[in-house]
Amino acid sequence: MKSFMDKDFLLESEPSRILYHESAAKMPILDYHCHINPKEIAQDRHFENITQVWLGGDHYKWRFMRSCGVDEKYITGDAPDKEKFFKWAECIGKAIGNPLFHWSHLELQRYFSYNGYLNKNTAQEVWDLCNAKLAESSMSARGIIRQSNVTLICTTDDPTDTLEWHRTIAQDKSFEVKVLPAWRPDKAMNIEKSDYLDYLNKLAAAADMDAIITFADLKCALKKRMEYFASMGCNVSDHGLEYVMYVPASEDELETIFLKRMNRMNLTREEELKFKTAFLLYNARLYHEFDWAMQLHFGVKRDNNTGMYQKIGPDTGFDCIGSAAPLGQLADFLNVLATADQLPRTVIYSLNPNDNQAIMTILGCFQDSSAVAKIQHGSAWWFNDNKTGMEEQMVSLANLGNLSGFVGMLTDSRSFLSYTRHEYFRRILCNLLGNWVEKGEFPGDMDILKEIVADISYNNAKRYFKFPLE
């Protein structure tokens, strides 16, 4: 029987172990998509206890605790932090087969030097050990980032954001890690939302415009804000979508749809999709003009538990995988941009793993010499960032595309301790490649294999996103 999560955790063959220890483990982390709050980096937040840094905002853990029958007061409620932690310890101790078990214990090993097993019996020991460690100066927000060997972080930012905390970080020469904004214009796109008109007022103010009255005004405001984001170092966007739609409409139609919404009238589903198609196309063309990369996340059905959504709001663990996307529309969307030579570097993520094969065949239609793997199949995401999901995504990519050109893992987290997800991914990657070598499916040329691993772990993302790194 192997030891619990030892140095060769998840590495089943000798080639796998060589690739991980001699290549992947040595590479820094480039966090090109996360939901960390830049204010906490700017202020170098110190956490009072392990609950704050570990359970705050982590809907992965919240979902699991609910599945264990834990009362909401110990999850998002007003229970004391210690009681919340003890409830979590009781749950994680029996989380056999769940990636949360591995993630949590990697975090305990790497940041707290705890190599034991967290459960209800060890909760007090771990609580005391972690809190003592968090009291050290090295365990501030910046200290954790440094320990994780991170070179660059892209946060997720609305077009109305002042980016004041990014400016503060950039001006602070004592912190060497770059923290850049990423453009996330979902609120400007979601025309069906009840607060949409209020949001337009905020956007107009941010763009120094009197008002946004027409679709042309909206496009003007977006471009102004994009120029500001670019001045702050932004060169990557991200969209959270139901799916990538392509329902074209004329400019006159779009202005009529926009005016209808401005008059507080409900739109038909077709009108909504026409507007969103035009919105996404406009942004994509600007990304091409600005030389930004575009990320498209889709396949989510959000806020399914209405009662809980009304009590505690979005992003609290009540989203799920949506049905398979109408991927023919993705192909049409990419095609109209490619035909006009306006297709930016694009990363496609679907939360529904049933989309993997179809996505890969679509992406292969739009690759060209302007970039290695210009159109990327993004990392296994959210409900798929487990061993099975990661393997399936990489096998699909290898079968139908260029795995060696893959930009690799993203953190996609609100927690400063989540950088161990990169280690988890890299171990799975090395095991996959090493086992192919072990089975004679790829030559055991370790120089080439180590280069592939280093590229997927870090170098490809650095080149692909064109980040300002030495």
PDB file of all heavy atoms in Angstrom, residues 405-429:
ATOM      1  N   GLY A 405       0.718  22.352 -27.322  1.00  0.00           N
ATOM      2  CA  GLY A 405       0.520  23.791 -27.382  1.00  0.00           C
ATOM      3  C   GLY A 405      -0.478  24.316 -26.373  1.00  0.00           C
ATOM      4  O   GLY A 405      -0.818  25.508 -26.384  1.00  0.00           O
ATOM      5  N   PHE A 406      -0.949  23.465 -25.473  1.00  0.00           N
ATOM      6  CA  PHE A 406      -1.993  23.791 -24.499  1.00  0.00           C
ATOM      7  C   PHE A 406      -1.488  24.817 -23.486  1.00  0.00           C
ATOM      8  O   PHE A 406      -0.380  24.702 -22.967  1.00  0.00           O
ATOM      9  CB  PHE A 406      -2.396  22.484 -23.809  1.00  0.00           C
ATOM     10  CG  PHE A 406      -3.446  22.566 -22.757  1.00  0.00           C
ATOM     11  CD1 PHE A 406      -4.488  23.483 -22.807  1.00  0.00           C
ATOM     12  CD2 PHE A 406      -3.404  21.676 -21.679  1.00  0.00           C
ATOM     13  CE1 PHE A 406      -5.457  23.517 -21.818  1.00  0.00           C
ATOM     14  CE2 PHE A 406      -4.371  21.699 -20.694  1.00  0.00           C
ATOM     15  CZ  PHE A 406      -5.394  22.627 -20.762  1.00  0.00           C
ATOM     16  N   VAL A 407      -2.339  25.815 -23.135  1.00  0.00           N
ATOM     17  CA  VAL A 407      -1.943  26.843 -22.164  1.00  0.00           C
ATOM     18  C   VAL A 407      -2.118  26.400 -20.724  1.00  0.00           C
ATOM     19  O   VAL A 407      -1.808  27.150 -19.798  1.00  0.00           O
ATOM     20  CB  VAL A 407      -2.704  28.169 -22.391  1.00  0.00           C
ATOM     21  CG1 VAL A 407      -2.297  28.799 -23.712  1.00  0.00           C
ATOM     22  CG2 VAL A 407      -4.212  27.976 -22.318  1.00  0.00           C
ATOM     23  N   GLY A 408      -2.612  25.197 -20.499  1.00  0.00           N
ATOM     24  CA  GLY A 408      -2.576  24.603 -19.173  1.00  0.00           C
ATOM     25  C   GLY A 408      -3.604  25.127 -18.194  1.00  0.00           C
ATOM     26  O   GLY A 408      -4.659  25.624 -18.558  1.00  0.00           O
ATOM     27  N   MET A 409      -3.250  25.019 -16.920  1.00  0.00           N
ATOM     28  CA  MET A 409      -4.182  25.191 -15.807  1.00  0.00           C
ATOM     29  C   MET A 409      -4.407  26.653 -15.455  1.00  0.00           C
ATOM     30  O   MET A 409      -3.510  27.484 -15.587  1.00  0.00           O
ATOM     31  CB  MET A 409      -3.647  24.442 -14.585  1.00  0.00           C
ATOM     32  CG  MET A 409      -4.565  24.432 -13.386  1.00  0.00           C
ATOM     33  SD  MET A 409      -6.142  23.641 -13.754  1.00  0.00           S
ATOM     34  CE  MET A 409      -6.918  23.636 -12.147  1.00  0.00           C
ATOM     35  N   LEU A 410      -5.612  26.956 -15.005  1.00  0.00           N
ATOM     36  CA  LEU A 410      -5.950  28.244 -14.421  1.00  0.00           C
ATOM     37  C   LEU A 410      -6.494  28.005 -13.022  1.00  0.00           C
ATOM     38  O   LEU A 410      -7.024  26.945 -12.729  1.00  0.00           O
ATOM     39  CB  LEU A 410      -6.995  28.967 -15.273  1.00  0.00           C
ATOM     40  CG  LEU A 410      -8.424  28.424 -15.321  1.00  0.00           C
ATOM     41  CD1 LEU A 410      -9.325  29.397 -16.060  1.00  0.00           C
ATOM     42  CD2 LEU A 410      -8.521  27.067 -15.989  1.00  0.00           C
ATOM     43  N   THR A 411      -6.350  28.995 -12.135  1.00  0.00           N
ATOM     44  CA  THR A 411      -6.755  28.769 -10.751  1.00  0.00           C
ATOM     45  C   THR A 411      -8.267  28.893 -10.591  1.00  0.00           C
ATOM     46  O   THR A 411      -8.899  28.109  -9.875  1.00  0.00           O
ATOM     47  CB  THR A 411      -6.034  29.752  -9.811  1.00  0.00           C
ATOM     48  OG1 THR A 411      -4.633  29.676 -10.073  1.00  0.00           O
ATOM     49  CG2 THR A 411      -6.271  29.381  -8.364  1.00  0.00           C
ATOM     50  N   ASP A 412      -8.883  29.917 -11.200  1.00  0.00           N
ATOM     51  CA  ASP A 412     -10.344  30.090 -11.182  1.00  0.00           C
ATOM     52  C   ASP A 412     -10.896  29.999  -9.761  1.00  0.00           C
ATOM     53  O   ASP A 412     -11.866  29.289  -9.505  1.00  0.00           O
ATOM     54  CB  ASP A 412     -11.005  29.056 -12.092  1.00  0.00           C
ATOM     55  CG  ASP A 412     -12.486  29.373 -12.349  1.00  0.00           C
ATOM     56  OD1 ASP A 412     -12.855  30.549 -12.293  1.00  0.00           O
ATOM     57  OD2 ASP A 412     -13.257  28.424 -12.576  1.00  0.00           O
ATOM     58  N   SER A 413     -10.268  30.721  -8.837  1.00  0.00           N
ATOM     59  CA  SER A 413     -10.638  30.584  -7.432  1.00  0.00           C
ATOM     60  C   SER A 413     -10.631  31.937  -6.742  1.00  0.00           C
ATOM     61  O   SER A 413     -10.014  32.898  -7.221  1.00  0.00           O
ATOM     62  CB  SER A 413      -9.655  29.645  -6.728  1.00  0.00           C
ATOM     63  OG  SER A 413      -9.892  29.606  -5.337  1.00  0.00           O
ATOM     64  N   ARG A 414     -11.307  32.001  -5.608  1.00  0.00           N
ATOM     65  CA  ARG A 414     -11.301  33.190  -4.759  1.00  0.00           C
ATOM     66  C   ARG A 414     -10.374  33.025  -3.560  1.00  0.00           C
ATOM     67  O   ARG A 414     -10.310  33.902  -2.700  1.00  0.00           O
ATOM     68  CB  ARG A 414     -12.728  33.483  -4.275  1.00  0.00           C
ATOM     69  CG  ARG A 414     -13.659  33.908  -5.398  1.00  0.00           C
ATOM     70  CD  ARG A 414     -15.123  33.936  -4.968  1.00  0.00           C
ATOM     71  NE  ARG A 414     -15.975  34.483  -6.011  1.00  0.00           N
ATOM     72  CZ  ARG A 414     -16.407  33.792  -7.079  1.00  0.00           C
ATOM     73  NH1 ARG A 414     -16.057  32.525  -7.217  1.00  0.00           N
ATOM     74  NH2 ARG A 414     -17.169  34.365  -7.992  1.00  0.00           N
ATOM     75  N   SER A 415      -9.665  31.918  -3.494  1.00  0.00           N
ATOM     76  CA  SER A 415      -8.832  31.604  -2.337  1.00  0.00           C
ATOM     77  C   SER A 415      -7.352  31.709  -2.681  1.00  0.00           C
ATOM     78  O   SER A 415      -6.904  31.231  -3.728  1.00  0.00           O
ATOM     79  CB  SER A 415      -9.135  30.187  -1.837  1.00  0.00           C
ATOM     80  OG  SER A 415      -8.186  29.782  -0.876  1.00  0.00           O
ATOM     81  N   PHE A 416      -6.582  32.304  -1.761  1.00  0.00           N
ATOM     82  CA  PHE A 416      -5.141  32.418  -1.965  1.00  0.00           C
ATOM     83  C   PHE A 416      -4.427  31.080  -1.792  1.00  0.00           C
ATOM     84  O   PHE A 416      -3.262  30.958  -2.166  1.00  0.00           O
ATOM     85  CB  PHE A 416      -4.555  33.446  -0.987  1.00  0.00           C
ATOM     86  CG  PHE A 416      -4.918  34.864  -1.321  1.00  0.00           C
ATOM     87  CD1 PHE A 416      -5.999  35.472  -0.725  1.00  0.00           C
ATOM     88  CD2 PHE A 416      -4.178  35.568  -2.249  1.00  0.00           C
ATOM     89  CE1 PHE A 416      -6.343  36.779  -1.029  1.00  0.00           C
ATOM     90  CE2 PHE A 416      -4.507  36.882  -2.569  1.00  0.00           C
ATOM     91  CZ  PHE A 416      -5.593  37.491  -1.971  1.00  0.00           C
ATOM     92  N   LEU A 417      -5.088  30.099  -1.228  1.00  0.00           N
ATOM     93  CA  LEU A 417      -4.456  28.789  -1.037  1.00  0.00           C
ATOM     94  C   LEU A 417      -4.669  27.858  -2.224  1.00  0.00           C
ATOM     95  O   LEU A 417      -4.144  26.739  -2.226  1.00  0.00           O
ATOM     96  CB  LEU A 417      -5.004  28.124   0.231  1.00  0.00           C
ATOM     97  CG  LEU A 417      -4.744  28.845   1.555  1.00  0.00           C
ATOM     98  CD1 LEU A 417      -5.320  28.039   2.713  1.00  0.00           C
ATOM     99  CD2 LEU A 417      -3.250  29.082   1.773  1.00  0.00           C
ATOM    100  N   SER A 418      -5.397  28.298  -3.228  1.00  0.00           N
ATOM    101  CA  SER A 418      -5.791  27.392  -4.314  1.00  0.00           C
ATOM    102  C   SER A 418      -4.696  27.139  -5.349  1.00  0.00           C
ATOM    103  O   SER A 418      -4.934  26.412  -6.316  1.00  0.00           O
ATOM    104  CB  SER A 418      -7.035  27.936  -5.029  1.00  0.00           C
ATOM    105  OG  SER A 418      -8.168  27.856  -4.192  1.00  0.00           O
ATOM    106  N   TYR A 419      -3.521  27.726  -5.153  1.00  0.00           N
ATOM    107  CA  TYR A 419      -2.467  27.497  -6.149  1.00  0.00           C
ATOM    108  C   TYR A 419      -2.010  26.052  -6.193  1.00  0.00           C
ATOM    109  O   TYR A 419      -1.373  25.621  -7.165  1.00  0.00           O
ATOM    110  CB  TYR A 419      -1.293  28.455  -5.893  1.00  0.00           C
ATOM    111  CG  TYR A 419      -1.676  29.883  -6.197  1.00  0.00           C
ATOM    112  CD1 TYR A 419      -1.778  30.820  -5.188  1.00  0.00           C
ATOM    113  CD2 TYR A 419      -1.990  30.269  -7.488  1.00  0.00           C
ATOM    114  CE1 TYR A 419      -2.170  32.125  -5.462  1.00  0.00           C
ATOM    115  CE2 TYR A 419      -2.379  31.566  -7.775  1.00  0.00           C
ATOM    116  CZ  TYR A 419      -2.472  32.491  -6.760  1.00  0.00           C
ATOM    117  OH  TYR A 419      -2.869  33.770  -7.042  1.00  0.00           O
ATOM    118  N   THR A 420      -2.319  25.287  -5.161  1.00  0.00           N
ATOM    119  CA  THR A 420      -1.975  23.865  -5.211  1.00  0.00           C
ATOM    120  C   THR A 420      -2.767  23.135  -6.298  1.00  0.00           C
ATOM    121  O   THR A 420      -2.412  22.016  -6.667  1.00  0.00           O
ATOM    122  CB  THR A 420      -2.234  23.199  -3.856  1.00  0.00           C
ATOM    123  OG1 THR A 420      -3.570  23.476  -3.441  1.00  0.00           O
ATOM    124  CG2 THR A 420      -1.263  23.691  -2.807  1.00  0.00           C
ATOM    125  N   ARG A 421      -3.829  23.755  -6.825  1.00  0.00           N
ATOM    126  CA  ARG A 421      -4.534  23.134  -7.941  1.00  0.00           C
ATOM    127  C   ARG A 421      -3.623  22.994  -9.159  1.00  0.00           C
ATOM    128  O   ARG A 421      -3.805  22.093  -9.979  1.00  0.00           O
ATOM    129  CB  ARG A 421      -5.775  23.951  -8.309  1.00  0.00           C
ATOM    130  CG  ARG A 421      -6.836  23.953  -7.225  1.00  0.00           C
ATOM    131  CD  ARG A 421      -8.093  24.660  -7.672  1.00  0.00           C
ATOM    132  NE  ARG A 421      -8.998  24.885  -6.550  1.00  0.00           N
ATOM    133  CZ  ARG A 421     -10.151  25.520  -6.643  1.00  0.00           C
ATOM    134  NH1 ARG A 421     -10.543  26.008  -7.803  1.00  0.00           N
ATOM    135  NH2 ARG A 421     -10.918  25.691  -5.581  1.00  0.00           N
ATOM    136  N   HIS A 422      -2.641  23.891  -9.283  1.00  0.00           N
ATOM    137  CA  HIS A 422      -1.671  23.759 -10.370  1.00  0.00           C
ATOM    138  C   HIS A 422      -0.808  22.520 -10.155  1.00  0.00           C
ATOM    139  O   HIS A 422      -0.482  21.807 -11.115  1.00  0.00           O
ATOM    140  CB  HIS A 422      -0.811  25.019 -10.466  1.00  0.00           C
ATOM    141  CG  HIS A 422      -1.549  26.210 -11.002  1.00  0.00           C
ATOM    142  ND1 HIS A 422      -1.463  26.600 -12.321  1.00  0.00           N
ATOM    143  CD2 HIS A 422      -2.414  27.064 -10.412  1.00  0.00           C
ATOM    144  CE1 HIS A 422      -2.227  27.665 -12.507  1.00  0.00           C
ATOM    145  NE2 HIS A 422      -2.814  27.972 -11.367  1.00  0.00           N
ATOM    146  N   GLU A 423      -0.416  22.269  -8.919  1.00  0.00           N
ATOM    147  CA  GLU A 423       0.342  21.048  -8.639  1.00  0.00           C
ATOM    148  C   GLU A 423      -0.500  19.820  -8.964  1.00  0.00           C
ATOM    149  O   GLU A 423      -0.008  18.859  -9.580  1.00  0.00           O
ATOM    150  CB  GLU A 423       0.776  21.007  -7.176  1.00  0.00           C
ATOM    151  CG  GLU A 423       1.485  19.705  -6.819  1.00  0.00           C
ATOM    152  CD  GLU A 423       1.912  19.607  -5.365  1.00  0.00           C
ATOM    153  OE1 GLU A 423       1.995  20.647  -4.692  1.00  0.00           O
ATOM    154  OE2 GLU A 423       2.164  18.467  -4.909  1.00  0.00           O
ATOM    155  N   TYR A 424      -1.740  19.841  -8.540  1.00  0.00           N
ATOM    156  CA  TYR A 424      -2.656  18.726  -8.814  1.00  0.00           C
ATOM    157  C   TYR A 424      -2.756  18.475 -10.309  1.00  0.00           C
ATOM    158  O   TYR A 424      -2.609  17.337 -10.780  1.00  0.00           O
ATOM    159  CB  TYR A 424      -4.020  19.093  -8.223  1.00  0.00           C
ATOM    160  CG  TYR A 424      -5.072  18.006  -8.218  1.00  0.00           C
ATOM    161  CD1 TYR A 424      -4.903  16.832  -7.498  1.00  0.00           C
ATOM    162  CD2 TYR A 424      -6.282  18.191  -8.889  1.00  0.00           C
ATOM    163  CE1 TYR A 424      -5.891  15.859  -7.460  1.00  0.00           C
ATOM    164  CE2 TYR A 424      -7.276  17.228  -8.855  1.00  0.00           C
ATOM    165  CZ  TYR A 424      -7.085  16.071  -8.142  1.00  0.00           C
ATOM    166  OH  TYR A 424      -8.066  15.113  -8.110  1.00  0.00           O
ATOM    167  N   PHE A 425      -2.960  19.543 -11.086  1.00  0.00           N
ATOM    168  CA  PHE A 425      -3.032  19.436 -12.539  1.00  0.00           C
ATOM    169  C   PHE A 425      -1.721  18.892 -13.114  1.00  0.00           C
ATOM    170  O   PHE A 425      -1.722  18.004 -13.980  1.00  0.00           O
ATOM    171  CB  PHE A 425      -3.336  20.811 -13.145  1.00  0.00           C
ATOM    172  CG  PHE A 425      -3.095  20.890 -14.634  1.00  0.00           C
ATOM    173  CD1 PHE A 425      -4.043  20.418 -15.528  1.00  0.00           C
ATOM    174  CD2 PHE A 425      -1.910  21.420 -15.135  1.00  0.00           C
ATOM    175  CE1 PHE A 425      -3.810  20.483 -16.902  1.00  0.00           C
ATOM    176  CE2 PHE A 425      -1.667  21.486 -16.492  1.00  0.00           C
ATOM    177  CZ  PHE A 425      -2.633  21.011 -17.385  1.00  0.00           C
ATOM    178  N   ARG A 426      -0.610  19.410 -12.656  1.00  0.00           N
ATOM    179  CA  ARG A 426       0.679  19.002 -13.221  1.00  0.00           C
ATOM    180  C   ARG A 426       0.985  17.531 -12.921  1.00  0.00           C
ATOM    181  O   ARG A 426       1.568  16.839 -13.758  1.00  0.00           O
ATOM    182  CB  ARG A 426       1.793  19.906 -12.681  1.00  0.00           C
ATOM    183  CG  ARG A 426       1.685  21.327 -13.211  1.00  0.00           C
ATOM    184  CD  ARG A 426       2.719  22.264 -12.582  1.00  0.00           C
ATOM    185  NE  ARG A 426       2.517  23.640 -13.010  1.00  0.00           N
ATOM    186  CZ  ARG A 426       3.308  24.656 -12.688  1.00  0.00           C
ATOM    187  NH1 ARG A 426       4.370  24.434 -11.915  1.00  0.00           N
ATOM    188  NH2 ARG A 426       3.049  25.870 -13.117  1.00  0.00           N
ATOM    189  N   ARG A 427       0.600  17.075 -11.764  1.00  0.00           N
ATOM    190  CA  ARG A 427       0.792  15.654 -11.464  1.00  0.00           C
ATOM    191  C   ARG A 427      -0.061  14.786 -12.392  1.00  0.00           C
ATOM    192  O   ARG A 427       0.391  13.748 -12.883  1.00  0.00           O
ATOM    193  CB  ARG A 427       0.440  15.382  -9.993  1.00  0.00           C
ATOM    194  CG  ARG A 427       1.472  15.910  -9.007  1.00  0.00           C
ATOM    195  CD  ARG A 427       1.053  15.700  -7.552  1.00  0.00           C
ATOM    196  NE  ARG A 427       2.070  16.156  -6.616  1.00  0.00           N
ATOM    197  CZ  ARG A 427       3.100  15.446  -6.186  1.00  0.00           C
ATOM    198  NH1 ARG A 427       3.227  14.175  -6.588  1.00  0.00           N
ATOM    199  NH2 ARG A 427       3.982  15.936  -5.347  1.00  0.00           N
ATOM    200  N   ILE A 428      -1.287  15.203 -12.632  1.00  0.00           N
ATOM    201  CA  ILE A 428      -2.169  14.451 -13.535  1.00  0.00           C
ATOM    202  C   ILE A 428      -1.619  14.488 -14.960  1.00  0.00           C
ATOM    203  O   ILE A 428      -1.606  13.465 -15.668  1.00  0.00           O
ATOM    204  CB  ILE A 428      -3.595  15.032 -13.459  1.00  0.00           C
ATOM    205  CG1 ILE A 428      -4.190  14.741 -12.077  1.00  0.00           C
ATOM    206  CG2 ILE A 428      -4.479  14.448 -14.553  1.00  0.00           C
ATOM    207  CD1 ILE A 428      -5.452  15.531 -11.768  1.00  0.00           C
ATOM    208  N   LEU A 429      -1.144  15.658 -15.397  1.00  0.00           N
ATOM    209  CA  LEU A 429      -0.528  15.783 -16.716  1.00  0.00           C
ATOM    210  C   LEU A 429       0.667  14.849 -16.854  1.00  0.00           C
ATOM    211  O   LEU A 429       0.776  14.092 -17.845  1.00  0.00           O
ATOM    212  CB  LEU A 429      -0.083  17.235 -16.928  1.00  0.00           C
ATOM    213  CG  LEU A 429       0.885  17.501 -18.096  1.00  0.00           C
ATOM    214  CD1 LEU A 429       0.189  17.266 -19.439  1.00  0.00           C
ATOM    215  CD2 LEU A 429       1.436  18.930 -18.020  1.00  0.00           C
TER     216      LEU A 429
END
